Amino acid sequence: MLQKALDFLKSHKEVAFATCEGGRPHIRVFQIMKQEGATLYFATSPEKRVFRQLQDNPCIEVMASSDNVFVKCSGRADFAVGEAAARWIYDHNPVLPRLYSSWDKLACFRLAVEQ
């Protein structure tokens, strides 16, 4: 079942991305920047509210859907993303170079999907 969910996410990169701040949920659309096995990678600006939310409470939940299929994953944001992965994310997403002057201006993080 996990592999089916991971395969679904490979072709559905945009996900609803939920965090929590002050006991209140916050949801927005995020794009999966990279997927390695059961690990999903994301990027944001360290200047954004979502970054501060993740620093205060790294618990997140993401959901992708299409037709009548829904895939939901939850876990903790892990900012221990190496330079090679951060550079790959920057180099392989055409939007990021338009918004950021360099890969090191991003805050990349990952979510290890367990179920």
Side-chain angles (χ1 to χ4, degrees), residues 54 56-61 74-79 109-112:
L54 292 170
D56 291 341
N57 180 353
C59 296
I60 57 175
E61 191 164 81
S74 60
R76 298 176 67 82
D78 177 3
F79 284 91
F109 58 98
R110 61 188 175 190
L111 168 65

Side-chain angles (χ1 to χ4, degrees), residues 84-114:
R87 284 179 182 268
W88 189 96
I89 288 168
Y90 183 81
D91 291 342
H92 288 85
N93 187 305
V95 173
L96 295 178
R98 287 188 281 156
L99 300 173
Y100 304 96
S101 60
S102 173
W103 66 272
D104 60 354
K105 305 295 185 206
L106 294 169
C108 294
F109 58 98
R110 61 188 175 190
L111 168 65
V113 177
E114 295 177 1

